């Protein structure tokens, strides 16, 4: 809005055309557009087995288990939240009435 360069992340199965980008984002007339294809997302084939979030019953968890299916900061946040919930449940099951 203040004339500063803007950076947006989109996820698509192919590089978007400039017209497709213009349909999604408002640009200043004459501004440049730069599309970078990071090749960051692996192609998976089914069936595929994934590592679980719970690695053992002693309270060891794999926070990034979700990244085997999809990888982004947003999905990492979801995986971390899932593990927080698992740890909270694990602690609650082992907590004695007066605490540890």
């Amino acid at each position: 809005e203040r004339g500063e360069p803007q950076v947006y992340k989109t996820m698509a199965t192919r590089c978007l055309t400039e017209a497709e980008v213009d349909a999604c984002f408002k640009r200043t007339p004459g501004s440049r557009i730069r599309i970078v294809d990071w090749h960051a997302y692996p192609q998976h084939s089914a069936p595929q087995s994934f590592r679980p979030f719970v690695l053992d019953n002693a309270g060891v968890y794999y926070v990034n288990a979700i990244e085997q299916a999809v990888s982004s900061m947003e999905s990492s946040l979801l995986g971390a939240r899932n593990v927080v919930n698992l740890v909270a449940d694990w602690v609650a099951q082992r907590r004695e009435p007066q605490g540890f």
Side-chain angles (χ1 to χ4, degrees), residues 17-64:
T17 66
E18 195 165 328
E20 290 171 319
V21 172
D22 285 338
C24 297
F25 302 101
K26 182 179 175 182
R27 290 196 296 150
T28 304
S31 63
R32 290 185 330 126
I33 183 170
R34 180 175 172 209
I35 297 174
V36 178
D37 187 3
W38 290 103
H39 302 287
Y41 304 100
Q43 298 292 321
H44 297 290
S45 59
Q48 182 176 2
S49 60
F50 297 107
R51 292 186 199 114
F53 281 98
V54 180
L55 297 180
D56 68 23
N57 291 330
V60 178
Y61 298 92
Y62 182 43
V63 176
N64 294 324

Side-chain angles (χ1 to χ4, degrees), residues 51 53 61-70 75-77 79-80 83:
R51 292 186 199 114
F53 281 98
Y61 298 92
Y62 182 43
V63 176
N64 294 324
I66 199 168
E67 287 197 359
Q68 298 166 89
V70 61
S75 62
S76 293
L77 179 64
V83 169

Side-chain angles (χ1 to χ4, degrees), residues 75-95:
S75 62
S76 293
L77 179 64
L78 292 173
R81 180 58 195 210
N82 191 25
V83 169
V84 166
N85 291 340
L86 290 167
V87 168
D89 186 52
W90 183 85
V91 169
Q93 289 177 12
R94 286 154 182 81
R95 180 173 286 155

